[in-house]
PDB file of all heavy atoms in Angstrom:
ATOM      1  N   GLU A  93     106.505 -12.190 153.321  1.00 55.00           N
ATOM      2  CA  GLU A  93     107.500 -12.636 154.291  1.00 55.00           C
ATOM      3  C   GLU A  93     108.188 -13.923 153.859  1.00 55.00           C
ATOM      4  O   GLU A  93     109.285 -14.228 154.315  1.00 55.00           O
ATOM      5  CB  GLU A  93     106.831 -12.843 155.653  1.00 55.00           C
ATOM      6  CG  GLU A  93     106.280 -11.549 156.265  1.00 55.00           C
ATOM      7  CD  GLU A  93     105.705 -11.784 157.640  1.00 55.00           C
ATOM      8  OE1 GLU A  93     105.698 -12.966 158.088  1.00 55.00           O
ATOM      9  OE2 GLU A  93     105.274 -10.805 158.274  1.00 55.00           O
ATOM     10  N   ARG A  94     107.541 -14.656 152.972  1.00 58.00           N
ATOM     11  CA  ARG A  94     108.090 -15.947 152.553  1.00 58.00           C
ATOM     12  C   ARG A  94     108.714 -15.923 151.171  1.00 58.00           C
ATOM     13  O   ARG A  94     109.637 -16.681 150.875  1.00 58.00           O
ATOM     14  CB  ARG A  94     106.970 -17.006 152.583  1.00 58.00           C
ATOM     15  CG  ARG A  94     107.432 -18.426 152.338  1.00 58.00           C
ATOM     16  CD  ARG A  94     106.287 -19.407 152.534  1.00 58.00           C
ATOM     17  NE  ARG A  94     105.176 -19.143 151.630  1.00 58.00           N
ATOM     18  CZ  ARG A  94     105.092 -19.642 150.392  1.00 58.00           C
ATOM     19  NH1 ARG A  94     106.069 -20.406 149.923  1.00 58.00           N
ATOM     20  NH2 ARG A  94     104.047 -19.379 149.644  1.00 58.00           N
ATOM     21  N   LEU A  95     108.236 -15.025 150.310  1.00 50.00           N
ATOM     22  CA  LEU A  95     108.678 -14.991 148.919  1.00 50.00           C
ATOM     23  C   LEU A  95     109.510 -13.752 148.629  1.00 50.00           C
ATOM     24  O   LEU A  95     109.156 -12.649 149.050  1.00 50.00           O
ATOM     25  CB  LEU A  95     107.461 -15.020 147.983  1.00 50.00           C
ATOM     26  CG  LEU A  95     106.535 -16.237 148.107  1.00 50.00           C
ATOM     27  CD1 LEU A  95     105.324 -16.052 147.211  1.00 50.00           C
ATOM     28  CD2 LEU A  95     107.275 -17.520 147.758  1.00 50.00           C
ATOM     29  N   ALA A  96     110.594 -13.937 147.870  1.00 49.00           N
ATOM     30  CA  ALA A  96     111.424 -12.793 147.482  1.00 49.00           C
ATOM     31  C   ALA A  96     110.683 -11.889 146.515  1.00 49.00           C
ATOM     32  O   ALA A  96     110.868 -10.669 146.513  1.00 49.00           O
ATOM     33  CB  ALA A  96     112.728 -13.292 146.852  1.00 49.00           C
ATOM     34  N   GLN A  97     109.844 -12.476 145.667  1.00 59.00           N
ATOM     35  CA  GLN A  97     109.045 -11.707 144.709  1.00 59.00           C
ATOM     36  C   GLN A  97     107.580 -12.088 144.902  1.00 59.00           C
ATOM     37  O   GLN A  97     107.067 -12.981 144.231  1.00 59.00           O
ATOM     38  CB  GLN A  97     109.495 -12.010 143.269  1.00 59.00           C
ATOM     39  CG  GLN A  97     110.954 -11.692 142.979  1.00 59.00           C
ATOM     40  CD  GLN A  97     111.222 -10.183 142.995  1.00 59.00           C
ATOM     41  OE1 GLN A  97     110.314  -9.381 143.062  1.00 59.00           O
ATOM     42  NE2 GLN A  97     112.485  -9.820 142.931  1.00 59.00           N
ATOM     43  N   PRO A  98     106.885 -11.433 145.838  1.00 59.00           N
ATOM     44  CA  PRO A  98     105.488 -11.818 146.116  1.00 59.00           C
ATOM     45  C   PRO A  98     104.568 -11.734 144.904  1.00 59.00           C
ATOM     46  O   PRO A  98     103.590 -12.486 144.809  1.00 59.00           O
ATOM     47  CB  PRO A  98     105.065 -10.804 147.190  1.00 59.00           C
ATOM     48  CG  PRO A  98     106.337 -10.343 147.804  1.00 59.00           C
ATOM     49  CD  PRO A  98     107.353 -10.353 146.698  1.00 59.00           C
ATOM     50  N   ASP A  99     104.883 -10.826 143.963  1.00 70.00           N
ATOM     51  CA  ASP A  99     103.997 -10.701 142.803  1.00 70.00           C
ATOM     52  C   ASP A  99     104.215 -11.799 141.779  1.00 70.00           C
ATOM     53  O   ASP A  99     103.585 -11.803 140.724  1.00 70.00           O
ATOM     54  CB  ASP A  99     104.137  -9.325 142.147  1.00 70.00           C
ATOM     55  CG  ASP A  99     105.554  -9.033 141.690  1.00 70.00           C
ATOM     56  OD1 ASP A  99     106.462  -9.828 141.991  1.00 70.00           O
ATOM     57  OD2 ASP A  99     105.764  -8.000 141.029  1.00 70.00           O
ATOM     58  N   ASP A 100     105.080 -12.777 142.081  1.00 82.00           N
ATOM     59  CA  ASP A 100     105.209 -13.955 141.228  1.00 82.00           C
ATOM     60  C   ASP A 100     104.133 -14.998 141.551  1.00 82.00           C
ATOM     61  O   ASP A 100     104.087 -16.058 140.926  1.00 82.00           O
ATOM     62  CB  ASP A 100     106.596 -14.588 141.370  1.00 82.00           C
ATOM     63  CG  ASP A 100     107.653 -13.820 140.593  1.00 82.00           C
ATOM     64  OD1 ASP A 100     107.276 -12.932 139.803  1.00 82.00           O
ATOM     65  OD2 ASP A 100     108.856 -14.084 140.787  1.00 82.00           O
ATOM     66  N   THR A 101     103.307 -14.718 142.543  1.00 90.00           N
ATOM     67  CA  THR A 101     102.153 -15.561 142.869  1.00 90.00           C
ATOM     68  C   THR A 101     100.933 -14.662 143.007  1.00 90.00           C
ATOM     69  O   THR A 101     100.980 -13.646 143.699  1.00 90.00           O
ATOM     70  CB  THR A 101     102.367 -16.325 144.189  1.00 90.00           C
ATOM     71  OG1 THR A 101     103.508 -17.180 144.068  1.00 90.00           O
ATOM     72  CG2 THR A 101     101.145 -17.168 144.524  1.00 90.00           C
ATOM     73  N   VAL A 102      99.850 -15.017 142.334  1.00 93.00           N
ATOM     74  CA  VAL A 102      98.604 -14.257 142.418  1.00 93.00           C
ATOM     75  C   VAL A 102      97.484 -15.210 142.807  1.00 93.00           C
ATOM     76  O   VAL A 102      97.333 -16.283 142.205  1.00 93.00           O
ATOM     77  CB  VAL A 102      98.275 -13.559 141.083  1.00 93.00           C
ATOM     78  CG1 VAL A 102      96.883 -12.947 141.129  1.00 93.00           C
ATOM     79  CG2 VAL A 102      99.310 -12.484 140.776  1.00 93.00           C
ATOM     80  N   VAL A 103      96.718 -14.820 143.821  1.00 94.00           N
ATOM     81  CA  VAL A 103      95.584 -15.617 144.282  1.00 94.00           C
ATOM     82  C   VAL A 103      94.295 -14.858 143.954  1.00 94.00           C
ATOM     83  O   VAL A 103      94.099 -13.735 144.423  1.00 94.00           O
ATOM     84  CB  VAL A 103      95.653 -15.888 145.798  1.00 94.00           C
ATOM     85  CG1 VAL A 103      94.499 -16.802 146.217  1.00 94.00           C
ATOM     86  CG2 VAL A 103      96.986 -16.511 146.171  1.00 94.00           C
ATOM     87  N   VAL A 104      93.441 -15.469 143.146  1.00 96.00           N
ATOM     88  CA  VAL A 104      92.160 -14.869 142.768  1.00 96.00           C
ATOM     89  C   VAL A 104      91.075 -15.439 143.681  1.00 96.00           C
ATOM     90  O   VAL A 104      90.801 -16.637 143.655  1.00 96.00           O
ATOM     91  CB  VAL A 104      91.832 -15.151 141.293  1.00 96.00           C
ATOM     92  CG1 VAL A 104      90.498 -14.509 140.916  1.00 96.00           C
ATOM     93  CG2 VAL A 104      92.947 -14.630 140.388  1.00 96.00           C
ATOM     94  N   HIS A 105      90.487 -14.579 144.497  1.00 96.00           N
ATOM     95  CA  HIS A 105      89.449 -14.974 145.444  1.00 96.00           C
ATOM     96  C   HIS A 105      88.082 -14.800 144.775  1.00 96.00           C
ATOM     97  O   HIS A 105      87.769 -13.716 144.272  1.00 96.00           O
ATOM     98  CB  HIS A 105      89.533 -14.127 146.706  1.00 96.00           C
ATOM     99  CG  HIS A 105      90.851 -14.228 147.415  1.00 96.00           C
ATOM    100  ND1 HIS A 105      91.031 -14.991 148.542  1.00 96.00           N
ATOM    101  CD2 HIS A 105      92.060 -13.662 147.138  1.00 96.00           C
ATOM    102  CE1 HIS A 105      92.291 -14.901 148.941  1.00 96.00           C
ATOM    103  NE2 HIS A 105      92.928 -14.096 148.101  1.00 96.00           N
TER     104      HIS A 105
END
Side-chain angles (χ1 to χ4, degrees):
E93 295 183 358
R94 187 174 60 87
L95 301 175
Q97 301 291 351
D99 58 353
D100 282 350
T101 299
V102 172
V103 184
V104 180
H105 301 258

